[in-house]
Amino acid sequence: MNRNRQMILNFFMNSTGFHETAWRLPSAEPEGVTSFSLYKKMALIAEQAKFHTVFLADAYELGENMKHQALSRLEPYTLLSALAGVTERIGLVATVSTSYTEPYHTARLFASLDHLSGGRAGWNIVTTGIGNTHLNFGRKENYEHNERYQRALEFVQLATKLWDSWEDDALKFDKAQGLYADVERIHAVRHQSEIFSVEGPLNLPRPPQGYPVLAQAGSSEDGKELAARIGELIYTAQQTLADAQAFYTDVKSRVEKYGRHPDDVKIVPGISVVVGATESEAKEKEAELRESIIPELGLYRLSKRLKVDLSSYPLDGPVPELPDPATINENRSRFELMKNMIESENLTIRQLIERVSGGNGHRTFAGTAEQVADELEEWFTNGACDGFVIRPQALPSGLEDFAKLVIPELQRRGLFHKEYRGNTLRENLGLARPANSFAVQSQRNKGVQLI
């Protein structure tokens, strides 16, 4: 590995943290779940610490047990557009599903966010097959696994055509001639298929980055193939260094058949951390989170995730036999990860609840700044990742601890930048701005030799 490489760090933001009952901690601010001031505070802390992105998840149903969880979520475009006005350099990544949105609308929203932020937008591309989402969109059932990924690929390819529908020099602003735009450089898309029908062009100019950064989350076979084909920032979950190395090698090895270079794809596993000034302080914080766990909630969430009703089994007994992963339509890769974790570690139901409550399948770790940095450095320097998605188990306190304690340690080791390298997210991630497909085709039609 290149010894001069530096980590990509993304801050995964929600209201109270990624431990499912962190909202119960004295330091939590659950009353601020819909308050812009809470998210503004965290985004500014992350930007001051030089995180590459603020990363937002999303869902289209309530979906969980609200009795014990702080689950209300603001719509990501709205929140990130507001954050664009109070930040300057940090990337703004929104999760948007290709299963229950439309290409034209999605392309327009991301183009708007990229313009308003000066080129800092990113799209975390997911497919949706979880819970009762279909009931909120007039469908009798969710899309099947393979169908979701076929739809996702065509969706993204169509979105890129829409962003390309205005060439970069289409706008003229020639007041003397009364020429606002060169209509020869604005193109209809005229896309027709069994899935989508879009005429185009988009009704605003090409985004500053060409395309927003295309992030993607999904570790199934279909997910890895989609990542290799169109993904640029790949969000994943692994529990061990060996598993992370295998995923990294697998995805990187797939990209060349699509005419891409492995460096065009940045792989960033999630890690849920607890940081203390001392090891004993970190363990005390971890214990406080563990004590906040509500078994009823843990059983409910695991039963949904594992497709087995666990409520009749003893908490300190083994996890019962689970279904074949091939039969799982909802988030298959996360199901397989949990199944492997159960089998390799012989976890009881209670132990599994404790593990999943803090990380939801992601690696969890508690320690000092030096210990956390050691953990990150081991993965980064041994072919397991290009950086991480940092998921503090408690917010905003966990972000403050990471920014104050871990970031300086990583910078001291030369593993993380001290300043942003550019103004756009692509520049800061070391990703090229994509060529405009219509302009490229026009040059080819003219017989121009392209380098």
Side-chain angles (χ1 to χ4, degrees):
M1 304 294 286
N2 180 354
R3 296 192 179 192
N4 294 321
R5 292 168 71 234
Q6 290 187 315
M7 293 178 185
I8 294 166
L9 291 183
N10 309 275
F11 165 48
F12 203 148
M13 182 166 65
N14 72 7
S15 57
T16 59
F18 288 93
H19 192 287
E20 63 185 22
T21 46
W23 67 270
R24 302 181 68 194
L25 301 184
S27 61
E29 302 178 29
E31 67 281 354
V33 67
T34 56
S35 171
F36 178 63
S37 62
L38 173 61
Y39 302 99
K40 175 183 175 181
K41 175 171 72 174
M42 291 191 286
L44 291 175
I45 292 170
E47 184 170 59
Q48 186 175 16
K50 311 305 179 187
F51 275 89
H52 288 81
T53 75
V54 169
F55 201 103
L56 283 181
D58 197 25
Y60 302 123
E61 63 159 346
L62 190 54
E64 296 281 3
N65 188 341
M66 281 297 295
K67 180 179 179 181
H68 300 302
Q69 284 184 279
L71 280 175
S72 303
R73 24 171 131 233
L74 294 172
E75 190 280 314
Y77 290 117
T78 307
L79 177 55
L80 291 180
S81 293
L83 291 176
V86 297
T87 57
E88 295 180 355
R89 307 291 283 279
I90 196 165
L92 305 168
V93 181
T95 298
V96 176
S97 172
T98 58
S99 301
Y100 292 104
T101 55
E102 288 293 323
Y104 190 94
H105 186 54
T106 299
R108 184 176 180 231
L109 287 167
F110 273 110
S112 297
L113 180 60
D114 206 48
H115 280 291
L116 292 173
S117 65
R120 294 186 284 135
W123 173 17
N124 182 38
I125 301 155
V126 299
T127 69
T128 302
I130 295 176
N132 292 322
T133 301
H134 57 287
L135 299 180
N136 291 330
F137 291 87
R139 287 183 58 87
K140 293 182 179 179
E141 58 186 15
N142 283 313
Y143 293 97
E144 290 297 319
H145 185 86
N146 291 340
E147 186 180 8
R148 294 204 310 268
Y149 279 93
Q150 291 172 1
R151 178 183 171 94
L153 176 59
E154 185 175 335
F155 191 116
V156 175
Q157 291 173 333
L158 181 48
T160 62
K161 289 180 183 177
L162 287 165
W163 292 320
D164 282 347
S165 62
W166 290 59
E167 295 185 36
D168 290 314
D169 56 354
L171 290 172
K172 298 302 180 185
F173 306 122
D174 186 337
K175 294 180 180 180
Q177 299 295 322
L179 180 63
Y180 179 78
D182 181 352
V183 294
E184 297 298 321
R185 298 183 185 275
I186 301 174
H187 307 275
V189 171
R190 298 192 176 96
H191 180 94
Q192 295 285 338
S193 75
E194 293 182 0
I195 303 176
F196 298 115
S197 175
V198 176
E199 175 67 12
L202 206 61
N203 61 350
L204 76 166
R206 195 171 194 237
Q209 297 185 102
Y211 311 155
V213 170
L214 300 179
Q216 189 264 347
S219 300
S220 66
E221 279 301 305
D222 287 330
K224 287 186 285 189
E225 202 63 22
L226 183 66
R229 191 162 185 168
I230 56 90
E232 296 175 302
L233 187 66
I234 310 303
Y235 175 40
T236 184
Q238 280 84 39
Q239 285 287 321
T240 68
L241 173 63
D243 286 345
Q245 289 170 325
F247 180 88
Y248 187 89
T249 300
D250 187 1
V251 172
K252 294 274 186 172
S253 68
R254 297 179 188 225
V255 305
E256 291 183 4
K257 65 184 176 183
Y258 297 114
R260 308 179 69 199
H261 190 279
D263 289 344
D264 296 339
V265 178
K266 313 295 185 181
I267 296 176
V268 286
I271 182 168
S272 292
V273 293
V274 177
V275 186
T278 64
E279 185 173 0
S280 61
E281 181 183 296
K283 298 303 181 184
E284 287 171 7
K285 291 179 179 180
E286 188 178 41
E288 184 180 31
L289 285 163
R290 188 163 55 246
E291 290 166 6
S292 76
I293 291 173
I294 301 169
E296 175 190 340
L297 173 62
L299 287 170
Y300 172 83
R301 294 194 71 200
L302 280 178
S303 295
K304 286 189 67 177
R305 181 73 79 184
L306 299 177
K307 305 304 178 188
V308 173
D309 185 358
L310 300 176
S311 60
S312 62
Y313 293 88
L315 277 173
D316 293 309
V319 179
E321 185 176 354
L322 301 180
D324 183 339
T327 66
I328 301 300
N329 187 44
E330 302 179 4
N331 209 337
R332 185 180 298 171
S333 59
R334 192 60 53 86
F335 174 90
E336 291 176 333
L337 184 150
M338 290 187 183
K339 188 174 188 291
N340 292 337
M341 184 168 63
I342 293 163
E343 293 173 350
S344 64
E345 301 180 35
N346 296 314
L347 298 176
T348 66
I349 293 175
R350 189 188 303 276
Q351 290 170 332
L352 183 61
I353 289 173
E354 290 177 357
R355 291 285 295 279
V356 173
S357 294
N360 193 27
H362 295 84
R363 182 166 178 75
T364 58
F365 190 83
T368 64
E370 292 78 12
Q371 290 170 329
V372 173
D374 287 345
E375 184 81 3
L376 301 182
E377 183 174 6
E378 182 182 20
W379 282 41
F380 180 67
T381 58
N382 286 283
C385 64
D386 296 302
F388 298 89
V389 176
I390 304 301
R391 300 163 45 96
Q393 293 196 40
L395 287 172
S397 61
L399 171 64
E400 293 168 332
D401 292 338
F402 195 95
K404 179 181 178 182
L405 300 173
V406 181
I407 292 289
E409 178 62 22
L410 293 173
Q411 291 171 332
R412 185 187 68 77
R413 300 183 188 194
L415 293 170
F416 188 62
H417 63 200
K418 294 183 178 180
E419 294 294 338
Y420 293 107
R421 80 165 71 170
N423 294 316
T424 72
L425 180 53
R426 286 188 172 276
E427 290 171 330
N428 289 323
L429 294 176
L431 296 171
R433 187 177 188 270
N436 184 294
S437 58
F438 287 98
V440 168
Q441 187 59 49
S442 176
Q443 293 297 308
R444 285 177 177 157
N445 292 341
K446 294 176 182 178
V448 175
Q449 182 67 38
L450 297 176
I451 297 174

